[in-house]
Amino acid sequence: MRADLNVPLADGEITDDTRIRAAVPTIQALLKRDAAVVLVSHLGRPESRDELSMRPVRDRLAKLLSVPVKLAPGVVGDEVAAAAAELEPGHVLLLENSRWEAGETENDPELAESLAALADIYVNDAFGAAHRAHASTEGVAHHLPSYAGLLLERELNELTSLRDDPERPLVVVLGGAKVSDKVGVLERFLEIADKVLVGGAMCFSFFRARGVGTGDSLVEEKGVGLAEAVLEAAERSDCELLLPTDLVIGDSFSAHAERKEVDGIEVPDGWMGLDIGPETTKRYAEAIAGAGSVLWNGPMGAFEMEPFAAGTRGVAKAVAAATGRTVVGGGDSAAALVAFGLDQAVDWLSTGGGASLELLEGKELPGVAALGR
Ligand code: ADP
Ligand code: MG
């Protein structure tokens, strides 16, 4: 079983075990059917085998499952194969960090075959990694009878119904810092949504494209060209594209920065835009309140720093209070909801950021496409 056990760590301690807990129902369903479960996941981006062992994940998983969870000495190899062969029904063997093998991200056929040789059936429950064609998410599925896990299935149902048959108006709220990634999907959202609200660092690519001064705000060159194309597409589209009309700026990327609210979108030199302003927050909250369905991905500002959290908090509260169906994706957006104590108030909190956006864009997810072949 491929799960997404890629949890955040600080000093070797798990700071948020949401993803581990999300994998538990499928593991338990398999154990109940007397399966011996060989589990694999990546964890962060290790540069060598001394880094990012799955040990803390094993410990947490054993606690959550209350069954023996053995940690394999690697991802593949003779010792791992022996451990898998000896594994008893009702027990779990967790393989080491799949990215310890260079072949993982290269989707190396030999690694895929070695993984497949450890088991009789492949279950993919790793929605958060399904947009990547890696050996443990895609390659391995070609060698075994392959199925979607319960979480993967639920994610696909929730997100495809939002994409294909949303209650209208469909309001999409996009923000965050992965600017060029997300500006790319905006054009597609103009086709499926009724309103698109833009916040976070992304809006500065739009302002730069319009020739507005952005000071030291986070702007990606690639994002500016993409933003120009989005602005043109928005002219032709029936979808309304909303951009901030006021901002909160700071003189550095710090919780102790000098903070100023500006009425307008011009950012002076020496300053950076770090949040949407109160007027914009109000406008966005109204659009969310009037929505039949809402998709939110990406914080409206640098919400981890209290002086720049108001815009994200305002949007999070509006999403939590909305009467329409609400779906939130993206690791930091989920973290923001948790920080504001609002994570229980949305209809679906997706475990996949990139994967949820690619699915909504209409792209085929390699980890899903490979199943059932
Ligand atoms: P998600 O994980 O929800 O997909 P991203 O990873 O794209 O979101 O972006 C989250 C990060 O974006 C947050 O850490 C936040 O501090 C940062 N961010 C939001 N707005 C700005 C901004 N105006 N300038 C710099 N960083 C920002
Ligand atoms: Mg993120």
Side-chain angles (χ1 to χ4, degrees):
M1 173 176 160
R2 176 56 155 102
D4 179 9
L5 307 175
N6 179 29
V7 287
L9 296 165
D11 300 322
E13 300 274 335
I14 296 168
T15 53
D16 176 8
D17 67 358
T18 307
R19 284 180 166 167
I20 302 179
R21 282 186 284 109
V24 163
T26 303
I27 301 171
Q28 279 175 335
L30 294 170
L31 293 174
K32 226 169 133 189
R33 287 161 180 75
D34 267 342
V37 179
V38 180
L39 258 182
V40 61
S41 171
H42 75 284
L43 179 61
R45 294 168 193 267
E47 272 161 23
S48 74
R49 286 170 203 227
D50 309 325
E51 280 176 27
L52 293 163
S53 163
M54 298 298 284
R55 188 167 294 277
V57 174
R58 192 280 304 266
D59 295 346
R60 183 64 55 94
L61 198 56
K63 246 186 228 162
L64 291 168
L65 289 171
S66 320
V67 302
V69 179
K70 222 178 121 185
L71 183 63
V75 184
V76 287
D78 292 345
E79 277 179 81
V80 177
E86 281 164 16
L87 191 65
E88 286 174 40
H91 290 199
V92 177
L93 174 70
L94 176 62
L95 303 185
E96 264 298 356
N97 192 337
S98 61
R99 289 194 183 165
W100 279 11
E101 295 290 330
E104 164 70 337
T105 53
E106 293 158 10
N107 201 3
D108 173 44
E110 236 171 89
L111 177 60
E113 239 174 284
S114 305
L115 284 169
L118 300 174
D120 304 302
I121 290 173
Y122 173 65
V123 173
N124 188 357
D125 210 23
F127 178 69
H131 59 315
R132 306 219 160 96
H134 291 173
S136 71
T137 61
E138 204 274 345
V140 63
H142 295 277
H143 301 283
L144 291 172
S146 302
Y147 302 91
L150 300 169
L151 174 66
L152 182 67
E153 183 186 41
R154 176 90 193 262
E155 291 271 16
L156 295 175
N157 287 341
E158 293 285 345
L159 294 164
T160 44
S161 74
L162 185 77
R163 180 190 67 194
D164 299 338
D165 189 24
E167 284 293 324
R168 298 209 172 259
L170 168 61
V171 174
V172 173
V173 191
L174 272 188
K178 290 175 200 152
V179 177
S180 34
D181 280 9
K182 293 187 187 177
V183 178
V185 310
L186 258 170
E187 240 177 293
R188 177 77 186 108
F189 282 142
L190 289 175
E191 291 167 20
I192 59 176
D194 300 292
K195 281 184 191 177
V196 173
L197 323 182
V198 176
M202 204 182 321
C203 60
F204 300 104
S205 294
F206 286 87
F207 297 157
R208 178 79 67 82
R210 281 181 177 171
V212 176
T214 54
D216 297 334
S217 306
L218 180 63
V219 179
E220 279 173 37
E221 275 325 309
K222 203 174 132 205
V224 179
L226 292 166
E228 259 170 63
V230 171
L231 286 169
E232 274 172 35
E235 298 267 314
R236 296 189 301 268
S237 139
D238 293 332
C239 176
E240 218 182 311
L241 177 69
L242 278 71
L243 288 163
T245 46
D246 62 340
L247 297 170
V248 180
I249 62 174
D251 65 354
S252 66
F253 191 85
S254 149
H256 309 291
E258 194 178 328
R259 174 190 191 275
K260 246 196 324 206
E261 285 178 13
V262 289
D263 189 10
I265 53 172
E266 186 89 36
V267 180
D269 286 339
W271 293 79
M272 55 183 87
L274 291 173
D275 196 8
I276 58 175
E279 271 306 309
T280 304
T281 306
K282 195 168 151 242
R283 216 159 31 94
Y284 285 9
E286 280 164 11
I288 291 164
S293 24
V294 182
L295 170 73
W296 178 29
N297 180 302
M300 296 293 100
F303 74 96
E304 300 91 340
M305 306 186 281
E306 186 48 38
F308 308 105
T312 304
R313 186 182 285 116
V315 161
K317 280 188 176 163
V319 171
T323 49
R325 199 156 81 91
T326 53
V327 176
V328 179
D332 292 289
S333 317
L337 276 175
V338 171
F340 303 138
L342 297 171
D343 51 309
Q344 298 300 318
V346 299
D347 292 316
W348 184 244
L349 190 51
S350 175
T351 53
S356 63
L357 287 179
E358 290 198 15
L359 183 74
L360 291 163
E361 258 184 278
K363 283 193 188 156
E364 184 170 74
L365 305 181
V368 176
L371 299 175
R373 279 197 178 151

